[in-house]
Amino acid sequence: MEVVDLETLAAELEGHPLAAWMAWLPDALTEALDPVRNGNLPRFQQALEACPGRRARHVDLNRGAILIGDADEVGDAERLALGEALRGLMPWRKGPFDIFGVHVDTEWRSDWKWARVAPHLAPLAGRDVLDVGCGSGYHMLRMRGEGARLVLGVDPSVLFTAQFALLRALSGVSHAHILPFTLEGLPQRLPAFDTVFSMGVIYHRRDPMEHLAQLMECLKPGGQLVLEGLVIEGGPGDGLLPAETGNGRYAMMRNVWAVPSAAMLRDWVVAAGFRNARIVDEGVTTAGEQRRTDWMQYLSLTDFLDPGDPTRTVEGHPAPRRAVIVAERG
């Protein structure tokens, strides 16, 4: 099982503007998937090769826990081998999934975020979608479940790319691929997408306005932007600069450059040239939505909060809350 199925990707992009990337991708992937640069890659590849070559008969991409195969489609020995392969790709952060009777209880209840975002989307049926910072591809599968014609994810994590390779192979889902790059690392940001998602990315960008400009470059005229990120309570002039204050961290993360209010985040979107920008959701992240599990055994949300005051992070900043902005390219 390949981490990125170039042959299938090339076939599915035939006649699409993004087919131009196929001249660049082979060499770029060789560099991105260099085992010398990615010490865990042999472990990921071993897990993929150990996974039973089973294609699910029953797939449901519209469930909270995405279903890939019913439990009775495999025997106990094959399910055990599958579970070991899945555990070889830990930690699992975005999900959850039910895979041939194995419940992958991920760190994030990504289905909760999808439930908040989905009512505000332009119908995805027949649309080409870009998911920036896509993680394991959970939301990409939900997008395909909604009828998106093509879903392309970009995320520099080779682990997430390998996780999606397994999910894609077991489910047989087509026209959905993850490339192990940042948005900035793409050769061209072509206006080829009807919908662009950037969820959980902008606060990791030193220049948020540059990120918004790059997202706009990917959208067709009239296409929809779906932007989600950390925010604080407050008005248009309120924001937090964790990278420049205290110990330079926010909830133990080093690379959080700015946490604006939701109003300020919306104003950034307007200043970037998008139209009809609106805040469609805002709320505090809870320990029910992000937590340590048997499939993600590292630190999680409760470890990032002040044990004496869970409304603050361990650094003393306001506890994580997130907002969703939707807008359109003019």
Side-chain angles (χ1 to χ4, degrees):
M1 189 187 304
E2 298 294 330
V3 175
V4 177
D5 185 350
L6 265 181
E7 183 178 352
T8 300
L9 177 60
E12 293 180 351
L13 288 182
E14 187 173 355
H16 194 281
L18 295 178
W21 286 0
M22 296 310 301
W24 160 81
L25 263 174
D27 289 343
L29 283 173
T30 297
E31 181 177 355
L33 300 176
D34 182 354
V36 175
R37 296 177 52 189
N38 299 282
N40 285 317
L41 183 58
R43 173 170 69 90
F44 304 156
Q45 192 66 59
Q46 182 180 12
L48 293 178
E49 292 171 358
C51 182
R54 173 75 65 173
R55 178 71 60 84
R57 294 195 301 269
H58 183 200
V59 175
D60 188 348
L61 304 180
N62 294 314
R63 290 184 9 156
I66 289 175
L67 178 69
I68 300 176
D70 291 320
D72 61 6
E73 294 183 35
V74 300
D76 291 343
E78 193 171 4
R79 185 178 301 106
L80 179 62
L82 173 63
E84 291 176 352
L86 289 165
R87 289 190 178 278
L89 295 175
M90 288 172 57
W92 286 85
R93 296 189 179 275
K94 303 291 179 67
F97 305 96
D98 283 326
I99 305 175
F100 295 108
V102 179
H103 180 66
V104 181
D105 186 18
T106 50
E107 176 188 18
W108 281 90
R109 289 295 306 267
S110 303
D111 51 324
W112 293 11
K113 181 181 293 188
W114 185 252
R116 295 193 297 267
V117 169
H120 308 287
L121 301 177
L124 292 175
R127 292 168 79 93
D128 294 340
V129 182
L130 175 66
D131 189 358
V132 179
C134 59
S136 68
Y138 173 88
H139 290 121
M140 294 173 56
L141 294 175
R142 297 301 300 264
M143 295 167 199
R144 282 289 283 132
E146 292 291 331
R149 180 174 62 176
L150 171 72
V151 184
L152 186 69
V154 291
D155 196 300
S157 168
V158 174
L159 171 61
F160 297 154
T161 308
Q163 288 174 344
F164 189 72
L166 184 147
L167 297 171
R168 188 175 173 279
L170 294 175
S171 67
V173 168
S174 65
H175 294 84
H177 301 267
I178 291 181
L179 299 177
F181 307 110
T182 61
L183 180 62
E184 297 84 351
L186 297 178
Q188 304 162 284
R189 286 180 287 276
L190 300 174
F193 297 96
D194 302 289
T195 307
V196 170
F197 289 80
S198 172
M199 299 195 293
V201 176
I202 192 166
Y203 48 88
H204 290 309
R205 294 294 174 264
R206 190 186 297 264
D207 186 343
M209 297 306 297
E210 181 182 25
H211 181 63
L212 290 168
Q214 292 167 347
L215 294 172
M216 180 175 282
E217 289 174 356
C218 297
L219 273 170
K220 299 175 184 177
Q224 185 177 54
L225 170 71
V226 183
L227 181 71
E228 188 260 9
L230 290 170
V231 296
I232 62 168
E233 291 186 283
D238 295 317
L240 183 68
L241 299 174
E244 299 180 7
T245 59
N247 65 3
R249 295 190 181 193
Y250 176 86
M252 295 190 180
M253 292 184 286
R254 293 182 182 275
N255 59 338
V256 177
W257 296 96
V259 183
S261 65
M264 179 182 285
L265 183 60
R266 179 191 57 209
D267 289 348
W268 287 352
V269 173
V270 172
F274 290 93
R275 61 177 176 81
N276 195 27
R278 60 264 188 212
I279 303 165
V280 298
D281 183 78
E282 182 179 359
V284 175
T285 303
T286 69
E289 185 170 0
Q290 182 191 12
R291 71 275 193 261
R292 193 183 313 190
T293 75
D294 189 43
W295 293 84
M296 202 301 293
Q297 299 176 0
Y298 301 103
L299 300 180
S300 193
L301 178 61
T302 56
D303 303 292
F304 308 149
L305 302 179
D306 183 338
D309 180 5
T311 69
R312 316 296 293 184
T313 69
V314 291
E315 301 87 6
H317 301 308
R321 62 189 293 119
R322 307 180 84 90
V324 179
I325 311 291
V326 296
E328 288 75 43
R329 177 175 181 173

